[in-house]
C-alpha cells in the first residue's frame, strides 16, 4: 500500500471536477459562438468563474424535500446515480503507466457499472412522488436500456479485432492502425448510442424542458440536483475517454510524432470527442420519442449486428492485415 | 484458524452486505424498497465473485442481475400498483414453525457439507481468463450453448405472442 494508491483517486477526483467545471463553461461558450452570441462573459475575465458561481449558488440553496416524497430514497438516489459514474473511471487507461485498475474485462466493467446509474435515476424519479418526475425517469430508463444494447454490440467488433477485453490490450492492438478505420460502422453506432446514453442532444428527451418540465429531477434542488448534473458530466468524461481508448488509439501518437508525451495525445483526442459532443448539441434538434426507439431498435441494432458479421468475415479473409 | 488477510476482511464485509440486503428485503413493507435491497444483495454477490477471481462472472452479474433484472422489476412495479404495502397478518405459532423448518434445513445443509468428501484438488484459479472461458464455451460445450440459445429464443417468441394476444382482446 503506497501513498499513490490513496492519493491517486483523490487527484483523479480533482481532475474530474476541474474537467466538469470547464467543460460546462466551454459548452456554453461553444453553443454561444455557434449561435452568434458571446456566451457567459460577466463572472471573471472571459467568464472563467461562471460555473464556479453557478455551483456555489447550488450549494448554498435551501435543500427542499417534498412533503409526500419517500425521504430515504429521495436522499439516496443522487448517491446511487453518482458513485458508479466515478467508479467507472478506475478502469480507464490514460497512458501506459497511468491506469488505476488494469482489469481483464475492462470494457464490460465500464458498461455494466454504468447501468447502476439507471437505478439511481429511476429511484429519484419515483421517490419525488411527482408524475412529471416519474414520466421523465421512465423515459430516461427506457432510452438508456434500449441504447445499451447497440452500444455493447458495437464494441464486440473492436474486441474481435483486438482479441481482448482489456482496455490496455485494446490500445496496444491499435499501434499500427486505429480501430476507427476498420471499425467505422462500429464507431458510428457506438458514438450515436453513447450520445443517447449520455442524454445529450439530439437524444435529450429525458430532460425535454418543453414537454416534461425538467424530467426526473424536477423536485430536486440544491446540492442533490448538483449531484445528478455532476454524474451526467462525469459520464461525458468517461464516455469520451472510452471512445478514445476503443476507437482513436488511446495514447498512441499519429504520424510518428513521438516527442509529444502519450498523455498529451490522450488529452488531445479526448478533447476532440468532447468538442464533437458539444458541436452536435449546437447543430441538431431533439428527435421524437417514436423516432428515438425506431432508430435504436431498427437502425443501430441491425447495423451493429452487421458490423459483428463483417468483422468476423474480414478477420478470416484478410488474415494478418486486419 | 482463519488468518486475517485483506481478502478475508473483504469477504467478511461483502458477506455481511449480501446477508444484510437479504434481511432488509424480507423486512421492508414497500415493494420498491424490497427490489432495491435485492439489487444491493446481488451487487455484493458480484463482489464475492471478484474475490474468487471470476471477473467475467462478476461483471455479468452486475450487468444482468443488478442492472437489468432490478430495473425490469422496478419498471413492472412502478407501472402497476406501486403504492401497495404488505399487510402484517398475525398468525399464531408461525414464528415457531418457521424456526423449526429453517433450523432443520440448516442442519441438513451443514451435515451434508461436512460429510461430502471433496476429493479433487482445486484448480489454480489465477489462470482462468476470459479467453479460456470463451474457448471452453464455444468448443467443448458448443451444443449445450446452442440449445440454450434456442430455448431463450423460444421464450422470447412466446412472450411476444402472449403480449399480442392481450392487446387484441
Amino acid at each position: 500500500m503506497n501513498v499513490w494508491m490513496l492519493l491517486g483517486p483523490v487527484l483523479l477526483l480533482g481532475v474530474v471536477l476541474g474537467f466538469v467545471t470547464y467543460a460546462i463553461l466551454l459548452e456554453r461558450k461553444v453553443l454561444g459562438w455557434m449561435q452568434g452570441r458571446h456566451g457567459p462573459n460577466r463572472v471573471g475575465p472571459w467568464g472563467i468563474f461562471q460555473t464556479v458561481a453557478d455551483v456555489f449558488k447550488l450549494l448554498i440553496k435551501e435543500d427542499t424535500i417534498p412533503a409526500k416524497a419517500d425521504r430515504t430514497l429521495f436522499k439516496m438516489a443522487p448517491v446511487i446515480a453518482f458513485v458508479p459514474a466515478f467508479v467507472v473511471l478506475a478502469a480507464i487507461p490514460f497512458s501506459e503507466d497511468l491506469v488505476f485498475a488494469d482489469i481483464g474485462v475492462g470494457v464490460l466493467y465500464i458498461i455494466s457499472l454504468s447501468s447502476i446509474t439507471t437505478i439511481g435515476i429511476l429511484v429519484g424519479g419515483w421517490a419525488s412522488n411527482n408524475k412529471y418526475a416519474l414520466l421523465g425517469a421512465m423515459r430516461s430508463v427506457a432510452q438508456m436500456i434500449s441504447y445499451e444494447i447497440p452500444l455493447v454490440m458495437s464494441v464486440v467488433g473492436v474486441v474481435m479485432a483486438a482479441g481482448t477485453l482489456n482496455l490496455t490490450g485494446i490500445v496496444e492492438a491499435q499501434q499500427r492502425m486505429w480501430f476507427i478505420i476498420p471499425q467505422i460502422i462500429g464507431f458510428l453506432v457506438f458514438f450515436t448510442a453513447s450520445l443517447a446514453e449520455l442524454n445529450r442532444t439530439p437524444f435529450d428527451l429525458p430532460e425535454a424542458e418543453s414537454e416534461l418540465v425538467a424530467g426526473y429531477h424536477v423536485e430536486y434542488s440544491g446540492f442533490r440536483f448538483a449531484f445528478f448534473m455532476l454524474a451526467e458530466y462525469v459520464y461525458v468524461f468517461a464516455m469520451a475517454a472510452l471512445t478514445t481508448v476503443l476507437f482513436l488509439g488511446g495514447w498512441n501518437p499519429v504520424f510518428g510524432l513521438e516527442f509529444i508525451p502519450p498523455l498529451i495525445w490522450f488529452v488531445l483526442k479526448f478533447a476532440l470527442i468532447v468538442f464533437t459532443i458539444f458541436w452536435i448539441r449546437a447543430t441538431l434538434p431533439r428527435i421524437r420519442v417514436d423516432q428515438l426507439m425506431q432508430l435504436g431498435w431498427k437502425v443501430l441494432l441491425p447495423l451493429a449486428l452487421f458490423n459483428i458479421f463483417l468483422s468476423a468475415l474480414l478477420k478470416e479473409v484478410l488474415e494478418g492485415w486486419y | 484458524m482463519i488468518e486475517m488477510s485483506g481478502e478475508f476482511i473483504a469477504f467478511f464485509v461483502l458477506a455481511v452486505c449480501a446477508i444484510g440486503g437479504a434481511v432488509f428485503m424480507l423486512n421492508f413493507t414497500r415493494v420498491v424498497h424490497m427490489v432495491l435491497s435485492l439489487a444491493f444483495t446481488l451487487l455484493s454477490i458480484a463482489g464475492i465473485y471478484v474475490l474468487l477471481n471470476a471477473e467475467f462472472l462478476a461483471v455479468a452479474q452486475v450487468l444482468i442481475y443488478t442492472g437489468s433484472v432490478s430495473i425490469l422489476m422496478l419498471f413492472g412495479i412502478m407501472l402497476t400498483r406501486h403504492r401497495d404495502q404488505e399487510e402484517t397478518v398475525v398468525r399464531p405459532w408461525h414464528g415457531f414453525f418457521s424456526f423449526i423448518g429453517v433450523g432443520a434445513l440448516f442442519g441438513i445443509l451443514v451435515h451434508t457439507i461436512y460429510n461430502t468428501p471433496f476429493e479433487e484438488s482445486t484448480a489454480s484459479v489465477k489462470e482462468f481468463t476470459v479467453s479460456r472461458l470463451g474457448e471452453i464455451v464455444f468448443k467443448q460445450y458448443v451444443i449445450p450453448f446452442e440449445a440454450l440459445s434456442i430455448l431463450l429464443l423460444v421464450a422470447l417468441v412466446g412472450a411476444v405472442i402472449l403480449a399480442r394476444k392481450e392487446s387484441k382482446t
Side-chain angles (χ1 to χ4, degrees):
Chain A
M1 175 87 77
N2 53 11
V3 187
W4 282 109
M5 253 182 91
L6 291 172
L7 213 60
V10 178
L11 267 178
L12 181 67
L13 184 64
V15 169
V16 169
L17 290 181
F19 163 79
V20 172
T21 312
Y22 286 98
I24 294 174
L25 179 71
L26 183 75
E27 178 169 9
R28 296 178 62 181
K29 280 279 183 193
V30 168
L31 281 181
W33 292 330
M34 287 187 182
Q35 296 164 354
R37 299 182 282 118
H38 289 293
N41 60 355
R42 293 288 155 179
V43 192
W46 203 70
I48 54 169
F49 296 124
Q50 180 64 48
T51 322
V52 181
D54 286 346
V55 171
F56 186 65
K57 184 206 104 185
L58 281 176
L59 289 182
I60 58 172
K61 233 174 159 178
E62 188 196 347
D63 174 35
T64 53
I65 299 179
K68 291 272 176 75
D70 188 324
R71 292 182 73 92
T72 329
L73 288 188
F74 191 82
K75 288 178 186 165
M76 265 169 64
V79 181
I80 304 177
F82 174 71
V83 170
F86 188 64
V87 172
V88 150
L89 297 180
I92 291 173
F94 298 101
S95 75
E96 217 156 344
D97 316 306
L98 193 63
V99 49
F100 290 93
D102 198 9
I103 303 173
V105 286
V107 185
L108 280 177
Y109 167 85
I110 292 179
I111 291 168
S112 71
L113 275 180
S114 64
S115 70
I116 296 179
T117 296
T118 324
I119 299 184
I121 290 175
L122 195 53
V123 166
W126 185 79
S128 319
N129 208 349
N130 173 319
K131 54 169 93 74
Y132 289 110
L134 186 61
L135 275 177
M138 291 278 175
R139 263 196 190 188
S140 177
V141 172
Q143 176 177 330
M144 282 168 121
I145 293 177
S146 312
Y147 278 82
E148 204 163 274
I149 298 162
L151 191 80
V152 178
M153 291 290 184
S154 61
V155 175
V156 173
V158 171
V159 173
M160 281 162 85
T164 174
L165 280 167
N166 181 302
L167 288 170
T168 314
I170 288 176
V171 173
E172 273 160 11
Q174 301 179 64
Q175 267 167 0
R176 275 191 307 158
M177 191 195 278
W178 298 356
F179 284 144
I180 187 171
I181 299 163
Q183 292 287 337
I184 182 71
I185 306 175
F187 172 75
L188 291 175
V189 173
F190 181 86
F191 193 66
T192 320
S194 72
L195 281 179
E197 284 279 300
L198 295 170
N199 295 339
R200 307 287 309 187
T201 317
F203 306 104
D204 64 342
L205 290 112
E207 288 160 37
E209 298 90 348
S210 43
E211 305 163 31
L212 273 173
V213 191
Y216 61 89
H217 48 56
V218 204
E219 295 287 359
Y220 281 89
S221 75
F223 69 95
R224 295 183 212 284
F225 173 78
F227 253 76
F228 274 124
M229 283 291 114
L230 187 64
E232 206 154 282
Y233 275 90
V234 172
Y235 270 121
V236 172
F237 183 94
M239 210 45 113
L242 188 64
T243 317
T244 312
V245 166
L246 290 179
F247 292 100
L248 297 184
W251 58 83
N252 287 324
V254 231
F255 310 123
L257 292 172
E258 275 163 14
F259 63 92
I260 302 176
L263 190 61
I264 304 288
W265 274 118
F266 188 91
V267 172
L268 281 176
K269 294 170 188 173
F270 170 82
L272 180 72
I273 297 284
V274 173
F275 174 74
T276 315
I277 292 175
F278 295 160
W279 182 17
I280 288 173
R281 176 169 175 190
T283 316
L284 293 176
R286 181 187 305 140
I287 65 173
R288 284 200 320 261
V289 182
D290 57 323
Q291 290 169 335
L292 176 89
M293 289 299 161
Q294 287 210 348
L295 181 70
W297 292 101
K298 291 186 181 165
V299 180
L300 290 185
L301 188 59
L303 262 180
L305 289 174
F306 173 71
N307 182 49
I308 295 175
F309 182 71
L310 193 71
S311 307
L313 198 73
L314 286 178
K315 202 175 160 94
E316 283 301 312
V317 175
L318 303 173
E319 218 181 336
W321 279 36
Y322 197 66
Chain B
M1 186 62 203
I2 301 162
E3 54 183 306
M4 287 296 284
S5 59
E7 202 176 343
F8 177 71
I9 297 170
F11 173 75
F12 190 75
V13 171
L14 286 169
V16 167
C17 285
I19 296 171
V23 169
F24 273 122
M25 192 220 157
L26 294 174
N27 278 329
F28 280 141
T29 48
R30 297 186 88 169
V31 201
V32 176
H33 295 184
M34 287 180 185
V35 176
L36 283 175
S37 44
L38 181 68
F40 184 67
T41 304
L42 294 170
L43 189 65
S44 316
I45 290 173
I48 292 176
Y49 289 150
V50 173
L51 279 183
L52 297 171
N53 279 317
E55 284 176 335
F56 185 75
L57 190 61
V59 167
Q61 166 93 5
V62 175
L63 191 66
I64 294 166
Y65 286 98
T66 318
S68 317
V69 172
S70 313
I71 291 170
L72 199 67
M73 285 197 269
L74 283 174
F75 242 84
I77 293 161
M78 288 175 187
L79 287 174
T80 51
R81 294 182 301 162
H82 60 275
R83 299 267 173 251
D84 269 13
Q85 296 214 358
E86 246 181 25
E87 278 156 34
T88 42
V89 190
V90 186
R91 278 176 292 186
W93 292 95
H94 183 253
F96 177 71
F97 286 119
S98 334
F99 185 78
I100 288 181
V102 172
L105 182 66
F106 181 72
I108 292 169
L109 281 178
V110 167
H111 179 79
T112 325
I113 288 171
Y114 276 103
N115 284 310
T116 312
F118 291 105
E119 278 166 359
E120 285 163 41
S121 59
T122 318
S124 125
V125 281
K126 303 272 184 225
E127 52 191 66
F128 277 109
T129 56
V130 185
S131 50
R132 271 198 59 189
L133 190 73
E135 268 169 32
I136 290 171
V137 169
F138 291 107
K139 280 184 179 158
Q140 201 177 340
Y141 294 107
V142 68
I143 293 172
F145 175 79
E146 290 293 330
L148 267 181
S149 341
I150 291 173
L151 188 68
L152 281 177
L153 189 70
V154 169
L156 191 73
V157 173
V160 171
I161 288 174
L162 281 178
R164 276 183 74 108
K165 259 187 189 164
E166 233 164 51
S167 65
K168 265 182 198 167
T169 48

